[in-house]
Amino acid sequence: MPRPENPLDPTAGPVAAFAVALRRLRADAGGISYRAMATRSFYGYTTLAEAASGQRFPSWEVTRAYVLACGGDLREWERRWREAADVLRRGGGDKNGERSPPRRTPYASPRTPAVRAAQVDPTRARTSHELVEMLDELRSRAGLSLRQLVERSRSETSTGPVAELARTTVSEILRGERPPRVQVVLRIVELCGGTSSDLRNWAAACHRLARPPEDGVSMLSAPPAVGETAAATWGTVRFAPAGYEVSADGPSSVRALEHGRRAGPTVLRILLGARLRRLREDCGISVEDAGYVIRSSASKVSRMELGRVGFKERDVDDLLTLYRVADFDERVSLLRLARETNGPGWWHRYGDLVPSWFETYLGLEEAASVVRSFELRLVPELLQTEGYARAVVRRSRLSASEGEVERLDEIRAKRWERFTSPGAPELWAVLDEAVVYRPVGNREVMRAQIRHLIEMSELPHVTLQIMPFGAGRHAAEGGPFTILRFADPGLSDVVYLEQLTSALYLDKPAEVEIYGRAMTALTAAAAEPELTVGYLTRFLKEL
């Protein structure tokens, strides 16, 4: 038999009156037991029983769980709860507003003094550490354990960018072991019953504390009124009643990255990595410290900054917090780029034909503003005709079917589209004289290829030079290579060296400089570009 509840006088005060109303609700639900109610909520039966005990005024989170377990009208009970809370705030009855008598000073921790304010006010936080303490305090006021918070995030929908919370992530944030992510903070506030005004205040506090201090102390500023825009502080943020929504066009520094979306994920990785590197260097933070924050190594950060690997949105968010990026528009745009870096490129549908080591080159080629190459044996793929390219494939891939040959030629044609579109990159190729003398395919294939080279050399963004036999030894007898240069001055040139079953990508300044000098020497030793058409025309007559 369940233990009978202590009788309460509803005229004794707002706490007792509210508790009596809760008891009546449970009675109307058929006298459901508190254990059965607990199975329908994230709270234990003791917590639910204390809500109707009349000893303390319950929090709204506990009240909501109680009402939902009994099948009550949530909107009506929210009105009742707010009326009772207003009476208590005006001085009528118990002012603590707690769900049960605390065994110690509520919300105190060994690191900070107890907060006695009626509400958790994030605008008072002067450091990120204080903000985290207040977030943990808010969780305690809601009566949610860490497990309950995570379970609730899985069952309740969210209008924000973060839906489910990871227990480890929340635990590390609340313990101060991980920089607080804005999206996670807002989700926790939302789960703790935060209103649209609360979400706005917490967002303002997060981005204010991420702003670099002017005098060694984080600046405090009041959040904007409802409907106001605070673009200078944290961008344009609009909070809907049920959650939060971010609307941002991004600052000019971020809009400069937008063109990369048209090229593919490799370009996005390069641009985002370069931006993160500049932010890190501006803050004077080492790659080791950055790696520690994202729970990784310094080499991982270096690969991210070079665009060699994909990005996790969580890592980028943590790095932006470490680099004190306060502009909300910029954060939103960079995080959106991080999500898009993991998308497939146009060559993804040719994955059965294109080796993984060549996919990287395809992405770099699309990002490049200048492509310079030297060829010893064959016409560069970008300058090959369909017949020439098919003959090369049949010679190098003896087992390739006709369908595979056709699809490989589609890849070549797709790559050339980049060089015929507006804003096409510059292509500069130096061909050894042996290239035009080496027969590929039949005579008609070679004649068509030579005519195609003549046409290409007359394009304004294509420069073609021939290295004659009479030039003797030159600076690149070791083999062909390609140098890719990018429009962003912060990006290093990349040297591409292709082998039979793999490729090398060199980006160290010392190595790039050696190949750069070699390319300069080759262009100086080769015949002038103006002589290329005449040379190819004479060879075409001899063929």
Side-chain angles (χ1 to χ4, degrees), residues 100 137 337 473:
S100 62
E137 177 187 340
L337 278 176
R473 302 189 63 179

Side-chain angles (χ1 to χ4, degrees), residues 485-496:
R485 174 162 294 176
F486 308 95
D488 192 324
L491 296 178
S492 170
D493 291 357
V494 176
V495 178
Y496 173 72

Side-chain angles (χ1 to χ4, degrees), residues 18-171:
F18 194 78
V20 169
L22 288 176
R23 292 182 182 184
R24 290 173 181 170
L25 175 65
R26 188 168 72 93
D28 293 340
I32 181 174
S33 68
Y34 286 115
R35 289 186 182 274
M37 292 170 60
T39 62
R40 303 180 184 181
S41 70
F42 297 100
Y43 292 94
Y45 68 92
T46 303
T47 301
L48 296 173
E50 288 175 347
S53 67
Q55 299 179 17
R56 299 271 181 180
F57 186 63
S59 68
W60 166 242
E61 287 300 309
V62 175
T63 302
R64 180 173 67 169
Y66 193 107
V67 173
L68 290 176
C70 295
D73 185 344
L74 198 59
R75 187 180 299 274
E76 170 64 20
W77 277 94
E78 182 178 4
R79 182 189 62 79
R80 290 188 182 186
W81 183 90
R82 292 188 182 280
E83 289 178 354
D86 290 340
V87 173
L88 290 174
R89 278 195 291 269
R90 290 196 297 267
D94 192 350
K95 299 179 183 179
N96 286 329
E98 298 299 328
R99 60 180 179 88
S100 62
R103 294 182 175 86
R104 58 181 177 84
T105 305
Y107 322 123
S109 71
R111 292 172 289 180
T112 57
V115 179
R116 298 183 176 87
Q119 294 180 342
V120 179
D121 184 8
T123 61
R124 298 187 308 163
R126 297 183 61 84
T127 65
S128 296
H129 179 74
E130 291 183 6
L131 188 69
V132 170
E133 290 292 338
M134 290 184 176
L135 185 64
D136 195 27
E137 177 187 340
L138 180 67
R139 178 191 61 81
S140 299
R141 285 184 180 273
L144 291 173
S145 67
L146 185 60
R147 177 183 62 81
Q148 293 168 340
L149 189 68
V150 173
E151 289 177 351
R152 174 168 290 184
S153 72
R154 294 171 181 169
S155 63
E156 295 189 5
T157 58
S158 171
T159 55
V162 174
E164 293 188 12
L165 296 176
R167 184 169 182 173
T168 302
T169 300
V170 177
S171 177

